[in-house]
PDB file of all heavy atoms in Angstrom:
ATOM      1  N   CYS A 337       6.836  -1.772 -11.305  1.00  0.00           N
ATOM      2  CA  CYS A 337       7.035  -2.120 -12.719  1.00  0.00           C
ATOM      3  C   CYS A 337       7.658  -0.926 -13.443  1.00  0.00           C
ATOM      4  O   CYS A 337       7.807   0.197 -12.888  1.00  0.00           O
ATOM      5  CB  CYS A 337       5.766  -2.649 -13.389  1.00  0.00           C
ATOM      6  SG  CYS A 337       4.369  -1.578 -13.233  1.00  0.00           S
ATOM      7  N   ALA A 338       7.961  -1.181 -14.720  1.00  0.00           N
ATOM      8  CA  ALA A 338       8.626  -0.191 -15.525  1.00  0.00           C
ATOM      9  C   ALA A 338       7.824   1.164 -15.424  1.00  0.00           C
ATOM     10  O   ALA A 338       6.623   1.166 -15.542  1.00  0.00           O
ATOM     11  CB  ALA A 338       8.781  -0.556 -16.880  1.00  0.00           C
ATOM     12  N   GLY A 339       8.540   2.307 -15.310  1.00  0.00           N
ATOM     13  CA  GLY A 339       7.916   3.574 -15.242  1.00  0.00           C
ATOM     14  C   GLY A 339       7.617   4.207 -16.555  1.00  0.00           C
ATOM     15  O   GLY A 339       7.529   3.433 -17.615  1.00  0.00           O
ATOM     16  N   ALA A 340       7.452   5.443 -16.647  1.00  0.00           N
ATOM     17  CA  ALA A 340       7.034   6.066 -17.842  1.00  0.00           C
ATOM     18  C   ALA A 340       8.119   6.599 -18.785  1.00  0.00           C
ATOM     19  O   ALA A 340       7.871   7.285 -19.744  1.00  0.00           O
ATOM     20  CB  ALA A 340       6.131   7.268 -17.513  1.00  0.00           C
ATOM     21  N   THR A 341       9.364   6.312 -18.386  1.00  0.00           N
ATOM     22  CA  THR A 341      10.458   6.814 -19.184  1.00  0.00           C
ATOM     23  C   THR A 341      10.556   6.064 -20.497  1.00  0.00           C
ATOM     24  O   THR A 341      10.241   4.783 -20.618  1.00  0.00           O
ATOM     25  CB  THR A 341      11.793   6.666 -18.411  1.00  0.00           C
ATOM     26  OG1 THR A 341      12.009   5.290 -18.113  1.00  0.00           O
ATOM     27  CG2 THR A 341      11.752   7.490 -17.143  1.00  0.00           C
ATOM     28  N   ALA A 342      11.074   6.618 -21.554  1.00  0.00           N
ATOM     29  CA  ALA A 342      11.179   6.058 -22.889  1.00  0.00           C
ATOM     30  C   ALA A 342      12.150   4.832 -22.874  1.00  0.00           C
ATOM     31  O   ALA A 342      11.948   3.915 -23.695  1.00  0.00           O
ATOM     32  CB  ALA A 342      11.653   7.050 -23.897  1.00  0.00           C
ATOM     33  N   ASP A 343      13.118   4.824 -22.052  1.00  0.00           N
ATOM     34  CA  ASP A 343      14.046   3.735 -21.993  1.00  0.00           C
ATOM     35  C   ASP A 343      13.642   2.626 -21.053  1.00  0.00           C
ATOM     36  O   ASP A 343      14.359   1.593 -20.872  1.00  0.00           O
ATOM     37  CB  ASP A 343      15.428   4.272 -21.659  1.00  0.00           C
ATOM     38  CG  ASP A 343      15.544   4.974 -20.284  1.00  0.00           C
ATOM     39  OD1 ASP A 343      14.461   5.043 -19.650  1.00  0.00           O
ATOM     40  OD2 ASP A 343      16.568   5.523 -19.955  1.00  0.00           O
ATOM     41  N   GLY A 344      12.454   2.716 -20.480  1.00  0.00           N
ATOM     42  CA  GLY A 344      11.885   1.736 -19.613  1.00  0.00           C
ATOM     43  C   GLY A 344      12.492   1.532 -18.306  1.00  0.00           C
ATOM     44  O   GLY A 344      12.283   0.542 -17.600  1.00  0.00           O
ATOM     45  N   VAL A 345      13.230   2.547 -17.779  1.00  0.00           N
ATOM     46  CA  VAL A 345      13.860   2.471 -16.433  1.00  0.00           C
ATOM     47  C   VAL A 345      12.763   2.429 -15.407  1.00  0.00           C
ATOM     48  O   VAL A 345      11.756   3.095 -15.523  1.00  0.00           O
ATOM     49  CB  VAL A 345      14.788   3.717 -16.193  1.00  0.00           C
ATOM     50  CG1 VAL A 345      15.277   3.761 -14.805  1.00  0.00           C
ATOM     51  CG2 VAL A 345      15.942   3.635 -17.214  1.00  0.00           C
ATOM     52  N   ASN A 346      13.029   1.632 -14.321  1.00  0.00           N
ATOM     53  CA  ASN A 346      11.974   1.578 -13.267  1.00  0.00           C
ATOM     54  C   ASN A 346      12.069   2.851 -12.433  1.00  0.00           C
ATOM     55  O   ASN A 346      13.102   3.080 -11.789  1.00  0.00           O
ATOM     56  CB  ASN A 346      12.220   0.305 -12.424  1.00  0.00           C
ATOM     57  CG  ASN A 346      11.094   0.010 -11.495  1.00  0.00           C
ATOM     58  OD1 ASN A 346      10.296   0.926 -11.215  1.00  0.00           O
ATOM     59  ND2 ASN A 346      10.929  -1.286 -11.175  1.00  0.00           N
ATOM     60  N   THR A 347      11.110   3.644 -12.429  1.00  0.00           N
ATOM     61  CA  THR A 347      11.064   4.928 -11.736  1.00  0.00           C
ATOM     62  C   THR A 347      10.548   4.713 -10.297  1.00  0.00           C
ATOM     63  O   THR A 347      10.553   5.636  -9.413  1.00  0.00           O
ATOM     64  CB  THR A 347      10.094   5.914 -12.322  1.00  0.00           C
ATOM     65  OG1 THR A 347       8.838   5.436 -12.401  1.00  0.00           O
ATOM     66  CG2 THR A 347      10.590   6.231 -13.822  1.00  0.00           C
ATOM     67  N   TYR A 348      10.148   3.486  -9.996  1.00  0.00           N
ATOM     68  CA  TYR A 348       9.453   3.179  -8.697  1.00  0.00           C
ATOM     69  C   TYR A 348       8.254   4.107  -8.404  1.00  0.00           C
ATOM     70  O   TYR A 348       7.871   4.385  -7.313  1.00  0.00           O
ATOM     71  CB  TYR A 348      10.479   3.322  -7.538  1.00  0.00           C
ATOM     72  CG  TYR A 348      11.556   2.219  -7.688  1.00  0.00           C
ATOM     73  CD1 TYR A 348      12.807   2.556  -8.230  1.00  0.00           C
ATOM     74  CD2 TYR A 348      11.304   0.898  -7.315  1.00  0.00           C
ATOM     75  CE1 TYR A 348      13.808   1.592  -8.406  1.00  0.00           C
ATOM     76  CE2 TYR A 348      12.343  -0.079  -7.431  1.00  0.00           C
ATOM     77  CZ  TYR A 348      13.514   0.336  -8.023  1.00  0.00           C
ATOM     78  OH  TYR A 348      14.543  -0.726  -8.188  1.00  0.00           O
TER      79      TYR A 348
END
Side-chain angles (χ1 to χ4, degrees):
C337 50
T341 60
D343 54 7
V345 172
N346 196 332
T347 62
Y348 296 97

